[in-house]
Amino acid sequence: MTEGEPELAAFQALYDFSFDGFQLDACRALNAGHGVLLAAPTGSGKTVVGEFAVHLALTEGRKCFYTTPIKALSNQKYADLVRRYSAPSVGLLTGDNSINGEAPVVVMTTEVLRNMLYAGSPTLAGLGYVVLDEVHYLANAFRGAVWEEVIIHLPESVRLAALSATVSNAEEFGDWLSQVRGGTTVIVDEHRPVPLWQHMLVGLRLYDLFTGTNGSLPPGPRDDSPKVNPELRRLAQREQPPDRRAGPPRSGRRGGPRRNLYRPPSRAAVIDRLDAAGLLPAITFIFSRAGCDAAVLQCLNAGLRLTTPDEAAEISELVRERTADIPEEDLPVLGYPDWLAGLQRGIAAHHAGMLPTFKEVVEELFTAGLIRAVFATETLSLGINMPARTVVIERMDKWNGENHADLTAGEYTQLTGRAGRRGIDVEGHAVVLWQPGIDPVAVAGLAGTRTYPLSSSFRPSYNMAVNLVGQVGRQRAAALLESSFAQFQADRAVLGVARQARRIRETMAQLEFGCDQGDFAEYQAIRKELSQREGDQSRRRSVARQAEAAASLENLRRGDIVRVPGGRRAGIALVLEPPAAAAEPPGLLVLTEGRQVKRLTLADFPMPVAPIDRVRIPNWFSARSAKHRRDLASTVRNKLAGHDLGRPPRGRRADGAGGADGAGGSDAEIEQLRRRLRQHPCHGCADREEHARAAERHDRLDREAQALERRVAGRTHVIARTFDRVCAVLDRLGYTDGDTVTAEGRRLAGLYAELDLLVAECLRQGLWDDLAPAELAACVSALTFESRRSDDPSPPRLPHGAAREVLATMDSLWGELDEVEKEHHLSFLRQPDPGFAAAAHAWARGRPLEQVLSSDLTPGDFVRAIKQLIDLLDQIAAAAGAAPAADTARRAITALRRGVVAYSTLG
């Protein structure tokens, strides 16, 4: 298949399997000088195309940067490429690690490449190819903008290989890439190289989700979807699966049989069942770190063992080798004994709370086939190459920080994409654990939705703005941002709306309502103004009447006889209970002419009411007594015998006639408009009403068109408008002056943090100049750390001394910046979070790990938070120049980089 294509043939020879059609097509496009966007399912072999870009760069004597969204994936890809091309040819840049950065092939996180582009790094010289692995991260709300920045700012000579999970709008994304990068070949492949069978586990019985396909989704058009297994549908309708282990129905306390509550099988029983069916290794997704750890302990307590003695010995040897640098005293704190016991039995957890070294060992052992059951959070599905034969999903909802939300089709696809190891498994399996309330049809819908849309999360930041203004000036920077995928999508989204508005305008142009008697547009304008003023006055009078009516009800007393003017309660009524003073709206209890007791409200009195007469109601009167009601009604009739009840009682006018109308104008103004209308030449036209109907339709269409045009305007140039507001803030604070970036702005350009502007302000005001290294670490941690639980009411522990005072000052400074942002309709800067300050302070002062960790701070969270802190301190050291904070930051980094932080290779 590669005859006449020597480079592709040489590359194919490096692999022990034949390439699929989509891989060959993508490689040929790169070889022909095109950029490539490849969208294909997880595990389909997309990285072959990225590796071909590496091969071409080495062959051509150029550089290739291979970027990934997370450090762990960068480390993994670095190891893969070193094995293939040798260590001198491959480098690694992740922030944590800097290895051979000038090599022809460098693996890096996408943020590192973005920073190199802004800094104009000499390392970019000779760059020919960039691989953007997992480019669908572009949709990530917090980090997605980085991918767009890289795509926009890469030199035109660089060829791009963008690798994405299957997204439903790959063509749209490819169109944008072609627009900003030139010729880009879009290749979409939805075929899984390893078929995926869908199941539900009810009790310990495994059901196929679909019928007629062995549980798999068949190839072919989407509307040929298979039918959901009718047995599962019946189970869902009963909401009670059969449990053969249960005894006869027990009798409840109230007499009658009581149904057995459904008890799901234990996690150990599920793994044992999968093992018996030949479906291991398996990854069970549990959307809780604590749940993952508990699952391992449950399996250990159940005596589950999935390894042979030889395999357990091999595991122990590898663990000893990989953890040899960990101090002996830290091992119990890190949960080493339970972790090792699980590994020796072929069982492990995998989540962000684990020590990075522990996670790396789990990944290595699982890939080697020595770990056969992993309990993981969904973060495992994001990039790490760790496929299994089977994926188990315990629940179809997860906590999103605010509430329990159902899994989306994209999330389900991402999770189950791990099932089926290419070259090892003939098929992969996805197993959903049944429980009451799960709808198999809904699960089938998720399984059948194989794609999800890629949406931009791009917005200009302060750091981005000063970098762009410094490089190309404000006008050119705005134009560059207009080329973002975010603006591209916004423009496409309003195309239909703009087209609809144009059609309405065309219809309006065809409407004719001219009059040979005079200017009908002028006549119609008078008519509209008159109608509006009359409507305003009518509404004002209605409000006034309601106020008068309410006041009149409040003046009524027990025993007053009133006339209800209209509605279902119209007629004579006797007030039994006047309105309560606090009643809103006011209402009263009355006895009607029909001897019924009713509660009347303001709605029954569209005009004020005044008593016709009154009677004394005996204290012993009971509204529940029919005789009492009859006697009292008779008394009322006798009392009114001499009254003229032919017309309603006269009340004070509440229409405000003759008074000035602030909303709708005075009666005199309305009368003047009426005279102008009658005197206008068009008023006497025989076709006046026909012209008026056409004019009214013209006005209605104009309102519709204006509403649509406002929608278009709201989306058009939205990125540039946000950029203008960002620049206005920077001008206000002195970081820029028009097209000039000030010295403070150049400092901000080197700060790539979420709270970039707040970091720059702290440096400018010298808040950190007098702090010791541990105190600086504590203060800066508030700018990198964000608590996982935002609803924790307890205040965080804070270090004593200068750090506590500076943290309070930083919070006040954030408040000032927040006010400036609000003035400019921005909200980029979150409030500093001091939740990690005490831990950072203690660690920098040399405290042992046991004293630093807490129930809310896992080893993995701790190491990650320290590494993020070190990264920002490194930026501060570079940006602070000759200020004392620069040296303090470097000393803080040295103090922090020890123990578990120093020997953790992943972050």
Side-chain angles (χ1 to χ4, degrees), residues 200 202 207 209 228-242 259 434-443:
M200 293 191 80
V202 185
Y207 290 84
L209 182 58
V228 177
N229 189 329
E231 290 188 67
L232 286 174
R233 300 186 73 157
R234 283 194 292 272
L235 280 173
Q237 290 167 358
R238 291 206 308 266
E239 288 283 327
Q240 180 67 38
R259 298 172 68 186
W434 192 92
Q435 57 182 310
I438 284 187
D439 181 5
V441 176
V443 176

Side-chain angles (χ1 to χ4, degrees), residues 7 17 84 217 219 255 296 341 369 414 450 493 513 530 541 559 688 713 758 799 816-817 826 830 851 861:
E7 286 307 327
F17 60 87
R84 185 172 298 279
L217 282 170
V296 173
Q414 191 80 21
R450 307 180 195 185
F513 52 91
L530 175 60
R541 286 175 175 171
R688 181 186 68 195
L758 182 53
E816 296 171 12
L817 293 176
L826 294 173
R830 66 167 175 83
Q851 294 182 20
D861 288 335

